[in-house]
């Protein structure tokens, strides 16, 4: 009697353990779907684009024939756009973070700003495009220029930078700020000379992540009028421009197969730049996390 | 005060130097006063952005609704602005179709990934897989769009011969893959914050890991998981480039995933790339559609925040 | 400087763990800081009650008492660092060389150049040794390199750490040992040539050898500075201080010459504490 019962328990146990194993494999496989997809995507892009990738491709402007077209205008446009985005989003974002962390008393108003930033992060990027269209393109009369695109993108990535900078500021040990105050330093002196320098690695990493988000964005720039065909490089912030994603989008939409390869080559350049930016971010993080 | 001892050995007298420089400090004091105001100004930019978004969406939408009745906009079932039909239902339908497909792809895969990473994977495996998975979230959407159009659609066409070049299925599928990392990493965070003591208690009673997952971890992390799903859905609703490239531009009130559809976002892109003149009804329609989109995502985000705030109170 | 070399000589001649010679200072007692009827609240919790005491000039004053009795709070009140906690309220008065430190006319930034502070845990900035020590002077507007060089060297020498760091002035201070870091922090405090140095358990995070070095240093520094030191270690208080104050639950129970307080406590509670009956 007892033996039988024990046997039953044992059997059930076995099947439960079995189920556990089967499900574990299933969970693992589900995890690999994303990874396989990623692998396929890279493989596909590389095999499609590599044939068209050359120094000529990088240095050429758009052209009506696939074998003459190049990414130069987009590459330079993207870099110039990044510079504008970086200047505005870092100054405004880091200042916002300092204000929230160091100056604002923790009250309804700061809560409001915090929730507001959280919500901004969830607004679809294309809505930022509409914002930029109303304000920067028409109201401020920048037109379809780098400046309009840059400011729109700066607002788009602002939440990323604010949150990263807040985190970086919070992780600065208060002991060293105390030490500064103890030397008779004022509040701003302490922030500028002690807190901010110690927070710079975190802020830099956040900035790079924000910029790599901006460099891949397409939709808002379509709305604020990044051009598709540009045959000269922008010579001021109030010049017409294009960026890599816009060019890629434009080529992808063309019916002849060759344009897909041109687009593929553009994607390789774009992904290479993203890879570079992320490696820098990782390097910074590793270099400084060892120290603290 | 007798400073002779302190300046012993040489002529150095720091306190005296500080004293002298104190006279000049008024600049420093002025900076000290100005800085907080400058910072506050910067902090208000984010608020102004929100105000700006609301302002522009509302004002231009009102402009739109003075030409097209709000009733027609929300109840009409035909969207062809170039011939004067402004029923937004096909765009909403297209958006929902894509979102549903994406959710069907992303939620099971994302949750299973989260369970694997949080409950089964060793630390080392987690630390290698997680960043790779997060690369998915960093790929520009235009690249996804390209991949959907040039690879996923032909692949699906091999299985479903009727599938058009532009279709909701591949677009929705790829959007789903794109939001996997969101579901996975936010859910994993929620699962990780379930106290280990709860797990150990159940394991100690002889439960298998799987039983622990379903009876302990998932219930305890439930609200966090729901919040992650809602956020991911909101992301899918606002996704633009993938659907613009791969789903086509056919405002189509259908639940047939093999057909081409147009989402709200795709319409905005289409209208902005075409030669839409400033001040025309089509120009204003951008904003009416944009506002509808904004409300959708805002509601989703607020729900997610509400849920995760409750979740925080639980612990 | 001469003091430093003497200490080092003593150390070399002495045993492995250097013994501290308490110098008998029998100066006429002037006070640098006068505390009168000081009360302090954290919100509605009173942490200090009616404290009145005079901190003597160029001597070492130790503050002892059980955990939570308000030692750190009292110390931080002396240079108004306690106000970093926004809910703090005080009543009573503190005078530094005749200046009311709570008066609006007396800026707390200026007070802190006169009344410097060394913390419990070594807290150098994540900067080079040089930049750490030059921090105070720079903040107060001294920018000339030659002047800063001199100040840095002198401060490090006074803190008895010059020899150990003179070849790595431009390396990050985080690379030093805990004991070295703490002495760099002392040098940093010395760099503005304060009048009074407040030390909150400066050795509690250090190993015995580093502790001995800091104790020696305190003995040297009192030649030039008035020192207030909080300690949990009664042997340390007895070894290095001239006067000792015993705090209990926010009250000053007894304040006397160190030898008197330890050998002949006037209050029963002091006696209980120093004989280890509680705390
Ligand atoms: N920031 C603060 N906010 C509120 N109360 C505080 C704060 N800091 C200290 N207190 C309270 O004030 C009292 C005295 O604290 P204090 O840190 O001065 O004690 P202490 O004698 O230095 O203790 P220890 O020996 O542990 O360092 C304690 O009851 C403590 O709870
Ligand atoms: Mg203390």
């Amino acid at each position: 009697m007892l033996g039988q019962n024990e046997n039953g328990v044992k059997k059930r146990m076995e099947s439960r353990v079995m189920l556990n194993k089967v499900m574990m494999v299933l969970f693992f496989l589900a995890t690999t779907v994303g990874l396989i997809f990623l692998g396929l995507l890279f493989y596909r892009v590389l095999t499609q684009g590599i044939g068209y990738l050359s120094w000529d491709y990088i240095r050429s402007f758009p052209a009506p024939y696939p074998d003459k077209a190049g990414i130069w205008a987009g590459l330079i446009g993207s870099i110039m756009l990044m510079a504008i985005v970086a200047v505005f989003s870092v100054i405004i974002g880091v200042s916002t973070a300092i204000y929230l962390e160091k100056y604002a008393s923790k009250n309804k108003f700061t809560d409001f700003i915090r929730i507001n930033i959280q919500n901004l992060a969830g607004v679809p990027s294309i809505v930022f495009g509409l914002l930029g269209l109303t304000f920067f393109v028409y109201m401020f009369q920048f037109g379809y220029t780098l400046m309009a695109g840059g400011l729109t993108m700066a607002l788009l990535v602002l939440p990323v930078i604010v949150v990263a900078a807040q985190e970086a500021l919070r992780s600065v040990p208060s002991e060293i700020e105390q030490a500064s105050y103890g030397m008779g330093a004022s509040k701003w002196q302490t922030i500028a000379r002690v807190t901010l320098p110690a927070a710079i690695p975190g802020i830099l990493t956040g900035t790079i992540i924000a910029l790599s988000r901006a460099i891949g964005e397409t939709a808002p720039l379509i709305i604020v009028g990044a051009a598709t065909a540009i045959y000269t490089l922008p010579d001021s912030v109030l010049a017409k421009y294009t960026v890599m994603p816009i060019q890629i989008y434009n080529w992808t939409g063309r019916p002849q197969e060759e344009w897909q390869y041109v687009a593929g080559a553009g994607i390789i350049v774009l992904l290479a730049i993203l890879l570079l930016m992320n490696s820098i971010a990782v390097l910074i993080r590793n270099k400084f996390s060892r120290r603290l | 005060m007798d400073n002779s001892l302190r300046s012993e050995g040489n002529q150095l007298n720091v306190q005296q130097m500080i004293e002298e420089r104190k006279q000049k400090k008024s600049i420093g004091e002025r900076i000290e006063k100005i800085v907080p105001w400058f910072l506050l100004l910067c902090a208000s930019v984010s608020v102004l952005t929100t105000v700006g978004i609301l302002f522009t969406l509302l004002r231009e939408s009102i402009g739109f609704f003075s030409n097209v009745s709000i009733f027609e906009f929300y109840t009409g079932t035909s969207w062809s602005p170039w011939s004067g039909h402004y029923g937004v239902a096909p765009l909403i339908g297209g958006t929902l179709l894509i979102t549903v497909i994406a959710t069907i792809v992303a939620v099971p895969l994302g949750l299973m990934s989260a369970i694997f990473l949080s409950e089964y994977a060793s630390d080392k495996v987690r630390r290698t897989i997680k960043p790779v998975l997060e690369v998915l979230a960093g790929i520009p959407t235009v690249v996804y769009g390209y991949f959907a159009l040039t690879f996923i659609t032909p692949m699906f066409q091999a299985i479903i011969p009727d599938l058009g070049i532009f279709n909701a299925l591949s677009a929705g599928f790829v959007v789903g893959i794109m939001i996997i990392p969101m579901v996975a990493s936010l859910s994993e965070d929620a699962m990780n914050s379930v106290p280990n003591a709860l797990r150990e208690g159940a394991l100690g009673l002889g439960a298998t890991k799987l039983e622990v997952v379903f009876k302990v971890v998932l219930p305890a992390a439930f609200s966090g998981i729901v919040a992650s799903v809602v956020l991911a859905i909101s992301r899918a609703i606002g996704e633009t480039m993938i659907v613009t490239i791969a789903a086509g531009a056919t405002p189509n009130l259908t639940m047939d995933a093999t057909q081409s559809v147009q989402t709200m976002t795709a319409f905005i892109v289409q209208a902005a790339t075409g030669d839409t003149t400033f001040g025309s009804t089509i120009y204003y329609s951008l904003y009416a559609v944009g506002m509808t989109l904004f409300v959708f995502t805002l509601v989703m985000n607020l729900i997610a925040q509400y849920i995760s705030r409750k979740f925080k109170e639980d612990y | 400087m001469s003091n430093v070399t003497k200490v080092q000589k003593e150390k070399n001649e002495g045993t492995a763990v250097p013994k501290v010679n308490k110098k008998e200072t029998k100066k006429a007692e002037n006070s640098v800081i006068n505390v009168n009827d000081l009360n302090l609240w954290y919100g509605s919790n009173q942490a200090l009650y009616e404290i009145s005491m005079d901190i003597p000039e160029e001597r070492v004053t130790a503050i002892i008492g059980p955990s939570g009795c308000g030692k750190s709070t009292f110390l931080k009140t002396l240079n108004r660092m306690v106000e970093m906690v926004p809910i703090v309220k005080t009543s009573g008065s503190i005078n530094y060389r005749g200046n009311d430190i709570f008066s609006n006319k007396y800026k707390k930034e200026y007070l802190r150049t006169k009344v410097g502070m060394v913390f419990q845990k070594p807290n150098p900035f994540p900067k080079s040794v040089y930049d750490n020590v030059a921090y105070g002077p720079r903040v107060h507007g001294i920018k000339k390199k030659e002047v800063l060089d001199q100040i840095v060297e002198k401060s490090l020498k006074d803190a008895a750490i010059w020899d150990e760091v003179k070849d790595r002035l431009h390396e990050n201070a985080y690379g030093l040992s805990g004991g070295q870091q703490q002495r760099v922090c002392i040098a940093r405090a010395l760099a503005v040539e304060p009048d009074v140095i407040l030390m909150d358990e400066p050795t509690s995070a250090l190993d015995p050898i580093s502790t001995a070095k800091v104790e020696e240093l305190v003995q040297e520094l009192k030649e030039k500075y008035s020192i207030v030191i909080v300690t949990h270690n009664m042997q340390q208080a007895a070894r290095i201080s001239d006067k000792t104050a015993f705090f209990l639950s926010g009250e000053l129970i007894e304040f006397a010459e160190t030898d008197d307080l330890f050998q002949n406590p006037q209050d029963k509670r002091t006696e209980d504490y120093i004989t280890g009956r509680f705390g």
Side-chain angles (χ1 to χ4, degrees):
Chain A
M1 197 58 202
L2 211 87
Q4 242 176 22
N5 207 344
E6 223 164 62
N7 242 336
V9 169
K10 217 169 146 196
K11 266 219 183 98
R12 271 216 306 284
M13 189 71 205
E14 266 164 18
S15 71
R16 285 164 56 204
V17 170
M18 194 62 206
L19 186 66
N20 182 37
K21 282 212 177 100
V22 171
M23 288 302 279
M24 177 176 141
V25 172
L26 204 67
F27 292 147
F28 173 72
L29 290 179
T31 311
T32 59
V33 171
L35 304 182
I36 291 170
F37 184 95
L38 191 66
L40 271 177
L41 187 145
F42 281 141
Y43 174 77
R44 173 78 180 173
V45 165
L46 272 179
T47 50
Q48 295 262 292
I50 202 87
Y52 270 74
L53 191 62
S54 67
W55 184 239
D56 273 347
Y57 175 82
I58 288 177
R59 291 301 310 264
S60 296
F61 286 97
Y65 310 105
D67 50 351
K68 291 269 165 32
I71 195 89
W72 189 238
L75 182 61
I76 298 302
S78 282
I79 292 171
M80 291 175 79
L81 192 79
M82 281 315 98
I84 296 177
V85 175
V87 168
F88 285 97
S89 64
V90 169
I91 291 177
I92 297 176
V94 174
S95 301
T96 304
I98 295 175
Y99 182 77
L100 292 179
E101 288 300 312
K102 300 293 173 189
Y103 282 91
S105 46
K106 305 276 171 270
N107 56 21
K108 287 260 155 57
F109 179 65
T110 42
D111 269 359
F112 171 68
I113 295 189
R114 219 194 52 243
I115 291 174
N116 175 56
I117 287 171
Q118 209 177 339
N119 278 319
L120 269 187
V123 172
S125 60
I126 196 157
V127 173
F128 279 90
L130 293 175
L131 173 80
L133 183 65
T134 305
F135 285 94
F136 301 133
V137 175
Y138 290 124
M139 200 179 280
F140 297 173
Q141 301 199 327
F142 291 141
Y144 294 145
T145 59
L146 263 177
M147 196 64 189
L151 290 177
T152 305
M153 284 306 212
L155 293 183
L156 175 67
V157 299
L158 194 58
V160 181
I161 296 199
V162 172
V163 171
Q166 274 184 291
E167 216 142 87
L169 290 172
R170 241 177 277 146
S171 70
V172 175
S174 73
E175 283 88 2
I176 65 173
E177 293 175 322
Q178 296 272 330
S180 170
Y181 286 117
M183 303 293 310
S186 64
K187 185 164 189 169
W188 177 242
Q189 282 177 323
T190 300
I191 291 170
R193 294 170 189 234
V194 174
T195 316
L196 265 184
I200 273 181
I203 292 175
L204 263 183
T205 320
T207 304
I208 293 174
I209 289 167
L211 289 183
S212 57
R213 161 108 195 264
I215 207 169
E217 272 291 349
T218 322
L221 290 178
I222 295 178
I223 311 299
V224 295
T228 47
I230 285 283
Y231 302 99
T232 52
L233 296 180
D235 53 3
S236 83
V237 293
L238 291 177
K240 289 193 158 299
Y241 69 105
T242 187
V243 292
M244 287 186 281
I246 299 267
Q247 289 204 296
I248 293 167
Y249 166 60
N250 182 265
W251 290 326
T252 305
R254 300 187 185 185
Q256 298 86 351
E257 205 179 326
E258 288 77 18
W259 288 108
Q260 284 182 23
Y261 306 141
V262 179
I267 291 175
I268 295 177
V269 177
L270 179 61
L271 290 182
I273 289 177
L274 280 173
L275 184 71
L276 183 73
M277 290 170 74
N278 281 290
S279 317
I280 294 173
V282 170
L283 275 182
I284 294 174
R285 197 178 306 163
N286 289 350
K287 181 155 190 284
F288 287 92
S289 66
R290 234 182 306 132
R291 188 175 284 161
L292 285 177
Chain B
M1 184 201 330
D2 182 6
N3 270 326
S4 58
L5 256 173
R6 238 158 263 123
S7 45
E8 151 223 38
N10 51 38
Q11 62 298 335
L12 209 61
N13 187 330
V14 181
Q15 278 290 338
Q16 199 175 317
M17 285 192 271
I18 293 175
E19 195 85 45
E20 283 159 12
R21 281 164 180 78
K22 220 174 68 170
Q23 312 328 338
K24 288 192 280 181
K25 265 235 171 135
S26 63
I27 303 169
E29 270 163 32
R30 219 171 298 157
I31 291 178
E32 209 69 33
K33 288 226 173 67
I34 295 169
V35 161
W37 291 107
F38 173 77
L39 298 177
L40 176 62
L41 194 71
C42 291
S44 59
V45 168
S46 76
V47 179
L48 286 179
T49 306
T50 307
V51 173
I53 288 174
L54 292 176
F55 169 80
T56 180
L57 291 180
L58 277 176
R59 195 186 67 169
E60 315 290 34
S61 298
I62 288 169
F64 175 75
F65 289 127
S66 65
N67 292 339
V68 177
S69 88
I70 190 163
F71 184 76
E72 187 200 331
F73 185 71
Y74 284 113
T75 57
T77 54
S78 161
W79 183 265
S80 52
W82 284 271
S83 48
H85 295 289
Y86 289 101
V88 78
L91 298 186
I92 294 181
T95 301
L96 292 184
L97 180 59
I98 297 285
T99 306
V100 167
I101 297 169
T103 309
I104 290 172
V105 172
V107 169
L109 289 177
L111 282 187
M112 282 156 87
S113 307
I115 293 172
F116 176 75
L117 290 175
S118 137
E119 306 299 316
Y120 287 94
S122 70
D123 229 30
K124 208 174 140 207
V125 171
R126 180 181 20 242
R127 256 180 296 149
T128 28
I129 291 187
K130 221 183 159 184
V132 180
L133 209 53
E134 264 154 26
V135 170
L136 276 177
I139 302 267
T141 51
V142 70
V143 177
Y144 278 115
Y146 169 88
F147 189 63
L149 180 69
T150 67
F151 184 77
I152 300 292
T153 295
M155 196 175 82
F156 282 171
Q157 274 171 334
I159 310 165
I160 312 166
D162 289 350
L163 200 66
I165 301 241
F166 300 110
N167 63 82
L169 185 62
S170 342
F173 174 78
V174 173
V175 172
I177 299 279
M178 181 195 76
I179 60 177
I180 284 180
M182 249 184 129
V183 179
S185 79
L186 292 178
S187 301
E188 201 218 321
D189 290 347
M191 292 180 200
N192 272 335
S193 66
V194 175
N196 249 335
L198 288 183
R199 288 191 187 83
E200 275 151 20
L203 284 173
L205 292 174
T208 64
K209 261 200 170 158
L210 185 70
E211 289 155 355
V212 172
V213 167
F214 279 98
K215 300 211 172 98
V216 178
V217 178
L218 289 185
F222 188 70
S223 43
I225 293 171
V226 174
S228 82
V229 170
V230 176
L231 272 184
I233 290 177
S234 156
R235 188 67 204 284
I237 293 175
E239 172 43 41
T240 308
M241 291 322 289
I242 301 176
V243 290
T244 303
I245 293 172
T250 327
N252 200 348
L253 192 54
T254 174
M255 278 292 132
D256 180 356
T258 62
Q259 300 216 7
S260 166
V261 295
Q262 187 169 44
T263 62
M264 293 185 269
T265 51
F267 166 71
I268 297 174
V269 169
Q270 185 196 16
T273 35
D275 16 42
T276 304
T277 37
F278 178 72
S280 66
T281 308
I282 294 183
Y283 172 82
Y284 285 129
S285 76
L286 283 182
Y287 291 87
V289 173
M291 181 153 92
T292 313
L293 170 70
F294 177 77
V295 169
F296 267 84
T297 54
L298 182 68
V299 167
M300 287 308 215
N301 288 332
L302 291 179
I303 292 175
Q305 277 167 33
Y306 174 76
I307 295 171
S308 60
R309 207 169 317 134
K310 275 194 87 173
F311 172 64
K312 265 192 204 119
E313 280 163 14
D314 289 352
Y315 283 91
Chain C
M1 255 173 269
S2 59
N3 295 325
V4 176
T5 35
K6 201 166 91 209
V7 175
Q8 252 140 21
K9 226 180 268 156
E10 274 175 14
K11 189 173 68 188
N12 294 341
E13 288 159 4
T15 46
V17 180
K19 190 165 136 278
V20 178
N21 281 339
K22 190 156 92 195
K23 292 193 189 63
E24 292 302 325
T25 29
K26 283 281 178 268
K27 286 178 215 155
E29 196 172 295
N30 292 324
S31 57
V32 272
I33 297 180
N34 316 94
V35 182
N36 279 311
D37 299 331
L38 176 70
N39 288 290
L40 184 142
W41 294 264
Y42 287 108
S44 57
N45 276 349
Q46 190 161 5
L48 295 176
Y49 295 86
E50 295 293 317
I51 310 279
S52 295
M53 73 188 267
D54 294 334
I55 310 287
E57 186 178 26
E58 289 174 5
R59 300 184 69 184
V60 178
T61 305
I63 298 178
I64 60 171
S67 192
C69 68
K71 304 182 296 292
S72 301
T73 302
F74 175 71
L75 199 69
K76 285 188 284 184
T77 313
L78 296 181
N79 68 348
R80 297 182 61 185
M81 284 289 283
V82 77
E83 291 165 27
M84 308 288 316
V85 182
I87 52 172
V88 160
K89 281 187 194 62
T90 53
S91 77
S93 75
I94 299 180
N95 286 300
Y96 162 72
R97 293 202 186 269
N99 302 296
D100 173 9
I101 69 163
F102 294 124
S103 114
N104 283 334
K105 273 181 288 176
Y106 207 71
K107 292 202 67 89
K108 57 179 185 290
E109 282 82 13
Y110 185 60
L111 171 70
R112 288 171 192 161
T113 69
K114 297 289 191 187
V115 183
M117 186 151 205
V118 175
F119 298 80
Q120 178 168 1
K121 255 174 53 193
N123 57 354
F125 303 126
K127 302 171 188 277
S128 70
V129 173
Y130 185 98
D131 288 340
N132 263 281
V133 181
Y135 184 82
R138 276 181 177 149
V139 155
H140 294 287
I142 298 172
K143 294 197 184 80
K144 269 220 196 82
K145 185 162 184 315
E146 312 86 76
V147 180
L148 286 173
D149 285 350
Q150 277 185 39
I151 295 176
V152 169
E153 179 170 346
K154 180 168 181 298
S155 310
L156 286 168
K157 279 180 175 159
D158 284 355
I161 181 125
W162 172 252
D163 290 330
E164 286 159 73
V165 299
K166 64 170 185 274
D167 299 321
R168 43 206 292 204
L169 285 180
H170 297 285
E171 284 170 33
N172 198 296
Y174 279 28
L176 303 175
S177 76
Q180 289 172 324
Q181 286 185 12
Q182 189 63 306
R183 278 177 293 146
V184 167
C185 291
I186 293 175
R188 180 175 65 187
L190 297 182
V192 290
E193 293 185 353
D195 193 11
V196 182
I197 302 174
L198 310 174
M199 299 183 164
D200 192 352
E201 303 185 42
T203 62
S204 67
L206 305 183
D207 62 87
I209 295 184
S210 304
T211 299
K213 284 186 181 164
V214 171
E215 287 186 6
E216 269 176 64
L217 179 57
V218 169
Q219 289 301 300
E220 295 308 318
L221 292 175
K222 78 172 184 190
E223 298 281 310
K224 295 199 270 172
Y225 304 92
S226 314
I227 293 172
V228 186
I229 183 167
V230 168
T231 176
H232 258 286
N233 178 333
M234 273 175 282
Q235 282 77 34
Q236 184 173 64
R239 270 199 304 270
I240 64 174
S241 71
D242 303 301
K243 291 192 83 170
T244 298
F246 170 60
F247 276 60
L248 184 64
S249 317
E251 285 180 76
L252 174 60
I253 303 299
E254 194 167 346
F255 181 40
E257 293 290 324
T258 299
D259 295 342
D260 293 344
L261 186 122
F262 279 100
Q263 274 149 32
N264 191 13
Q266 299 299 306
D267 195 293
K268 179 77 172 54
R269 289 167 292 181
T270 315
E271 190 182 342
D272 287 350
Y273 183 68
I274 59 182
T275 52
R277 235 163 278 166
F278 69 87

